[in-house]
Amino acid sequence: MTPYELYCFGESGNAYKVALFLELSGIPWTARFVDFFNGETRKPEYRSDVNEMGEAPVLVIGDRKMSQSGAILHHLGKVHPKFGPASESEEEEALRWMFFDNHKFTSYIATLRFMISITKTGETPVTEFLRGRAINSLKTVDAHLARRPFMLGERMTIADFSLCGYLFYGDELPFDLKAHAHVVAWLDRIKSMHGWKHPYDLMPRKSAS
Ligand SMILES: N[C@@H](CCC(=O)N[C@@H](CS)C(=O)NCC(=O)O)C(=O)O
């Protein structure tokens, strides 16, 4: 089997969702570094040759290039069922959480972290708004995890990979994760899985090259 190639970079929690799935599944893959901070995703050739949406991650699957971490996870979960949904209703439940993740969880958390910890805007009305939305979404996931070890029940699935993507960045997270005890316990469960790696140990970064 040709190893998958993943367009990614260390700071991308969206790419990490896919990288971690491949790693914990024991599937061979190679990283293709995306020079996001020097504008690679905004270049016309990236849009024409890699992803018209101008984003990472992109997974190369044979002669196909697939973007959107949720769509990629959904695809991988079907082809490599270890972390895939086990039934149609599980698939729908996974998609339900992955849409929530893309709209209200990762979107706010990632943008807030980008502003505070990467571009260092300082606190603004925008960060205040984002933090409020991020914390509300964290509370939703925390309440759900109070009653089950993983998002869909007893085992880790694509929904967990989607939601956990940005939560392993430690001090870069501009809120107190410890206030969400069930989320912290869930992250510890994921961390204890064989093959788990921190995003910066799994994907290349400009500063490390
Ligand atoms: N919903 C997308 C979000 C992807 C995304 O926002 N990727 C960021 C890096 S983490 C990106 O490439 N942004 C480029 C841009 O917005 O210009 C996914 O889950 O794959």
Side-chain angles (χ1 to χ4, degrees):
M1 185 173 67
T2 312
Y4 290 108
E5 186 182 36
L6 180 66
Y7 282 72
C8 62
F9 57 99
E11 290 82 356
S12 170
N14 286 308
Y16 179 63
K17 299 169 185 187
V18 179
L20 188 64
F21 179 103
L22 294 169
E23 199 70 17
L24 294 191
S25 302
I27 298 167
W29 67 283
T30 56
R32 169 16 182 117
F33 173 65
V34 176
D35 199 354
F36 171 83
F37 292 105
N38 281 314
E40 184 177 355
T41 53
R42 288 190 291 279
K43 290 193 170 144
E45 54 270 31
Y46 189 89
R47 291 196 183 241
S48 61
D49 301 346
V50 183
N51 180 6
E52 63 189 338
M53 297 173 184
E55 295 178 340
V58 169
L59 187 66
V60 183
I61 309 169
D63 56 8
R64 175 178 179 200
K65 289 193 180 82
M66 190 175 208
S67 75
Q68 292 299 328
S69 62
I72 299 169
L73 287 171
H74 184 242
H75 170 83
L76 290 175
K78 286 196 283 189
V79 181
H80 307 284
K82 180 173 179 186
F83 298 111
S87 65
E88 204 172 312
S89 61
E90 261 200 21
E91 181 178 3
E92 288 160 4
E93 185 64 2
L95 287 174
R96 197 169 76 88
W97 282 109
M98 286 157 69
F99 285 126
F100 175 81
D101 174 46
N102 272 249
H103 181 199
K104 288 198 166 154
F105 195 83
T106 282
S107 56
Y108 296 129
I109 293 172
T111 309
L112 181 62
R113 169 216 180 211
F114 186 77
M115 292 181 73
I116 297 289
S117 300
I118 295 182
T119 58
K120 302 192 192 301
T121 60
E123 296 296 339
T124 69
V126 176
T127 59
E128 192 185 334
F129 169 81
L130 290 171
R131 186 173 288 102
R133 304 288 286 185
I135 286 171
N136 274 343
S137 300
L138 273 162
K139 284 181 183 166
T140 299
V141 171
D142 195 65
H144 188 75
L145 288 168
R147 301 187 300 278
R148 48 187 74 71
F150 293 101
M151 292 307 292
L152 265 54
E154 295 303 312
R155 69 186 185 93
M156 184 161 174
T157 67
I158 52 174
D160 300 282
F161 286 96
S162 191
L163 284 153
C164 79
Y166 276 87
L167 299 181
F168 290 113
Y169 284 99
D171 291 348
E172 291 178 22
L173 293 179
F175 45 74
D176 182 16
L177 197 58
K178 290 192 297 298
H180 311 279
H182 303 295
V183 167
V184 171
W186 166 69
L187 294 175
D188 286 343
R189 280 192 283 280
I190 295 174
K191 246 177 157 169
S192 71
M193 298 196 64
H194 179 71
W196 182 87
K197 284 183 187 152
H198 187 278
Y200 291 149
D201 296 326
L202 200 50
M203 300 181 296
R205 298 176 77 190
K206 186 72 175 175
S207 54
S209 62

